[in-house]
Amino acid sequence: MTSCALCNAEGASAFAVSPREDSVPLCPVCRAGVEEGPQDGPHWRCLTEAIWSPEPAVQVLAWRLLKGLPEAPWAREALEIAWLEPEVLAWAEEGSGASSGEDAIVHVDCNGTVLASGDTVTLIKDLPVKGAGFTAKRGTAVRKIALVPDNANHLEGKVEGQRIVILCQFVKKA
């Protein structure tokens, strides 16, 4: 029996990674996730290891599935630290529709500067952090921000060791 390239489950069958002819073995659960979109659950934690596979086709599938889980903080973090060769990233974006520019959400700071994932921003006012019991002070630098993919007004970052959601209107790019 062949094991799945993403989760190592038995009973995998060949799956072609579009738009190229490369194929990888996938179990029925992973195949359904690729074809219909993944649902956040413990099964998909395997992607945090699969994204580092030496096989480009496995990296492409892991990247696409991680992109399909924008609400899962662990998936966003895995994408933030993952690095793909430029041609592998282009392949992943080409087959996923991510490079088509459809419904592209742009995050901008209080000055209208476009923000990107991984940027450093500075808070422009004191912000009470609900549920954490502290106030993020004006002038605090927030490094390696993550952009919320479905909301142009929100970004995420760590302040005092807590991962929080910050409104873009209260930050400026450093």
Side-chain angles (χ1 to χ4, degrees), residues 105-109 113-116 147-149 151-155 168:
I105 293 179
V106 179
H107 293 75
V108 294
D109 70 0
T113 305
V114 175
L115 299 171
L147 305 177
V148 176
N151 191 331
N153 297 319
H154 293 167
L155 59 90
C168 294

Side-chain angles (χ1 to χ4, degrees), residues 27-89:
C27 69
V29 174
C30 290
R31 179 182 294 268
V34 171
E35 292 172 345
E36 301 162 15
Q39 301 297 318
D40 191 13
H43 176 81
W44 299 112
R45 298 286 179 143
C46 63
L47 299 175
T48 58
E49 291 182 23
I51 192 76
W52 297 105
S53 169
E55 296 295 323
V58 175
Q59 292 176 355
V60 166
L61 286 178
W63 185 90
R64 289 177 184 171
L65 287 166
L66 286 168
K67 279 289 204 184
L69 295 165
E71 295 85 27
W74 64 267
R76 285 196 306 271
E77 289 175 8
L79 278 172
E80 286 175 17
I81 63 170
W83 186 85
L84 301 179
E85 292 285 342
E87 59 273 2
V88 175
L89 182 59

